[in-house]
Amino acid sequence: QQQVKQSPQSLIVQKGGISIINCAYENTAFDYFPWYQQFPGKGPALLIAIRPDVSEKKEGRFTISFNKSAKQFSLHIMDSQPGDSATYFCAASIGSGTYKYIFGTGTRLKVLA
Amino acid sequence: KAGVTQTPRYLIKTRGQQVTLSCSPISGHRSVSWYQQTPGQGLQFLFEYFSETQRNKGNFPGRFSGRQFSNSRSEMNVSTLELGDSALYLCASSLDRGTGANVLTFGAGSRLTVL
């Protein structure tokens, strides 16, 4: 019940295309859903985050879509660029005072030039 | 503004030894969390410290321990190392205003190899 399932494991997209990464969870107590981007040799960096009271959040080319009833959320990267090639992790946590994130297993994105 | 600094960046140990990893959070950040990252298990929460107190703990054996100092710097220790402890250990800090802005900033990690 504490798991966050992420798919696909890897993704190859052409430059300018849309990259879509999906995550699903079981625990309805989760109330914070961030996405992190990690480049080789670096720590994960926060990309965008959403709370369950909104269905969509957009920041530049990155959009989170959230479906509370289906317990699913996804990251959409519009106009994907080679510089977006990285590993992406979804995560979930409970409450505003904890940093015990449950991470998905990651998606390795490669954007072809 | 300096980011989260972790030392050492790389280290090699043998089974049975112990290791101490250090983390300096972003100035002003009072919460420090530790995660273990492996190819098979992904990112797994170890523990979180706030004002020198362990506030949360993950499902790791007692060989994994940590502490936080009054200046918010943190250390984690792994005793009696096993081959399976080989991983990237990530430290993350947060301002923790208690307003729900759960922004974790990660360091680059300490890569531990156990032989």
Side-chain angles (χ1 to χ4, degrees):
Chain A
Q1 196 180 20
Q2 283 289 89
Q3 278 188 316
V4 176
K5 295 181 180 179
Q6 183 172 347
S7 64
Q9 191 173 355
S10 63
L11 182 61
I12 299 175
V13 174
Q14 293 287 337
K15 179 182 175 182
I18 302 173
S19 303
I20 301 174
I21 304 171
N22 301 300
C23 286
Y25 63 97
E26 287 295 324
N27 190 345
T28 55
F30 287 141
D31 61 359
Y32 180 70
F33 302 88
W35 283 88
Y36 278 81
Q37 178 189 56
Q38 185 176 28
F39 292 103
K42 304 286 187 182
L46 178 66
L47 196 59
I48 187 172
I50 198 168
R51 294 198 180 274
D53 52 346
V54 297
S55 60
E56 186 175 282
K57 184 174 181 180
K58 185 176 180 180
E59 289 185 3
R61 296 184 295 108
F62 301 92
T63 300
I64 299 179
S65 296
F66 188 85
N67 186 328
K68 190 174 181 179
S69 60
K71 291 183 284 187
Q72 295 175 349
F73 57 110
S74 60
L75 175 70
H76 295 236
I77 305 174
M78 312 300 287
D79 187 28
S80 299
Q81 299 296 312
D84 297 331
S85 297
T87 300
Y88 293 81
F89 295 93
C90 62
S93 70
I94 302 170
S96 61
T98 178
Y99 299 97
K100 184 178 180 180
Y101 289 3
I102 306 299
F103 279 89
T105 49
T107 296
R108 185 170 291 183
L109 171 66
K110 184 176 177 64
V111 181
L112 302 176
Chain B
K1 199 174 191 181
V4 178
T5 304
Q6 292 188 244
T7 57
R9 288 293 313 278
Y10 304 92
L11 66 166
I12 299 173
K13 293 284 187 180
T14 56
R15 278 182 299 174
Q17 287 187 309
Q18 73 165 14
V19 66
T20 299
L21 308 177
S22 180
C23 172
S24 293
I26 291 173
S27 178
H29 285 197
R30 296 168 64 193
S31 169
V32 173
S33 303
W34 288 89
Y35 284 80
Q36 181 196 64
Q37 185 175 20
T38 60
Q41 299 295 320
L43 283 142
Q44 292 189 290
F45 175 80
L46 280 156
F47 25 65
E48 183 219 338
Y49 288 87
F50 178 79
S51 293
E52 303 178 65
T53 301
Q54 188 179 85
R55 191 158 64 174
N56 225 324
K57 189 177 188 304
N59 298 323
F60 279 81
R63 300 186 296 107
F64 292 81
S65 63
R67 59 177 175 168
Q68 186 181 34
F69 303 95
S70 58
N71 60 359
S72 294
R73 193 176 69 82
S74 178
E75 288 181 348
M76 68 162 283
N77 184 76
V78 188
S79 62
T80 319
L81 284 166
E82 300 176 0
L83 295 178
D85 296 333
S86 293
L88 181 67
Y89 290 88
L90 291 161
C91 170
S93 73
S94 176
L95 191 56
D96 198 325
R97 289 182 177 142
T99 59
N102 297 16
V103 181
L104 271 183
T105 302
F106 283 86
S110 292
R111 182 161 301 278
L112 169 65
T113 301
V114 182
L115 302 177

